[in-house]
């Protein structure tokens, strides 16, 4: 099963995600703030059969079903010749220490690439230089 997530309301998006602005009372309060969520932020692929894995990949598909990254997104060629990249604003994940329990503590934030690789955070969210592969 594949789910596409992002701020775009175009048909390829299954779940539309929007920023929240502290103190805003309505959507009109947030109109002037630039979004930190990419139009086609990420894809999540879930297996319905054992071992029931879920994988997350940055970026997404445009209306032609091609992978889409913005002009300002960091892109590079991997050692095996494949293209990889990061969304302009990044797709960040954090796995809590002690798992998902009452004793959970925040873990380390990581960034996910188009190919599903995991990196340490960039110096800034939109920096062209990727973090170290984890």
């Amino acid at each position: 099963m594949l789910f596409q997530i992002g701020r775009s309301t175009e048909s390829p998006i299954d779940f539309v995600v929007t920023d929240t602005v502290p103190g805003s009372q309505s959507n009109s309060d947030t109109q002037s703030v630039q979004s930190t969520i990419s139009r086609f932020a990420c894809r999540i692929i879930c297996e319905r059969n054992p071992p029931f894995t879920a994988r997350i990949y940055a970026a997404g598909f445009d209306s032609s079903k091609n992978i889409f990254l913005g002009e300002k997104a960091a892109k590079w060629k991997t050692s095996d010749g494949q293209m990889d990249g990061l969304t302009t604003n990044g797709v960040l994940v954090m796995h809590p220490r002690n798992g998902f329990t009452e004793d959970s503590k925040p873990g380390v934030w990581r960034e996910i690439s188009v190919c599903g690789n995991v990196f340490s955070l960039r110096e800034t969210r939109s920096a062209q230089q990727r973090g170290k592969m984890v």
Side-chain angles (χ1 to χ4, degrees), residues 76 78-80 82 84 86 110-111 113 115-121 129-134:
W76 64 92
T78 63
S79 58
D80 62 354
Q82 204 173 24
D84 201 357
L86 303 168
R110 302 290 189 202
E111 185 166 14
S113 75
C115 292
N117 294 312
V118 181
F119 293 88
S120 62
L121 296 184
Q129 185 65 37
R130 68 181 185 261
K132 292 188 187 318
M133 187 183 261
V134 178

Side-chain angles (χ1 to χ4, degrees), residues 5-58:
I5 300 167
R7 80 166 189 266
S8 174
T9 56
E10 294 177 41
S11 61
I13 300 293
D14 298 303
F15 296 99
V16 176
V17 181
T18 57
D19 280 328
T20 57
V21 177
S24 66
Q25 300 297 312
S26 68
N27 282 346
S28 62
D29 292 344
T30 64
Q31 300 270 323
S32 62
V33 176
Q34 187 172 358
S35 180
T36 61
I37 299 169
S38 297
R39 290 184 317 125
F40 297 95
C42 65
R43 294 159 287 154
I44 298 176
I45 299 176
C46 303
E47 297 291 334
R48 290 184 172 221
N49 299 313
F52 306 109
T53 57
R55 300 190 191 284
I56 186 169
Y57 301 86

Side-chain angles (χ1 to χ4, degrees), residues 64-115:
S64 302
K65 299 192 186 230
N66 292 315
I67 285 185
F68 179 83
L69 280 174
E71 290 177 24
K72 298 176 185 174
K75 303 170 190 83
W76 64 92
K77 198 174 260 195
T78 63
S79 58
D80 62 354
Q82 204 173 24
M83 288 303 294
D84 201 357
L86 303 168
T87 62
T88 304
N89 295 312
V91 172
L92 308 182
V93 296
M94 185 262 295
H95 192 280
R97 290 181 283 146
N98 302 327
F100 293 92
T101 67
E102 289 179 12
D103 300 322
S104 293
K105 301 284 186 236
V108 177
W109 284 98
R110 302 290 189 202
E111 185 166 14
I112 307 299
S113 75
V114 170
C115 292

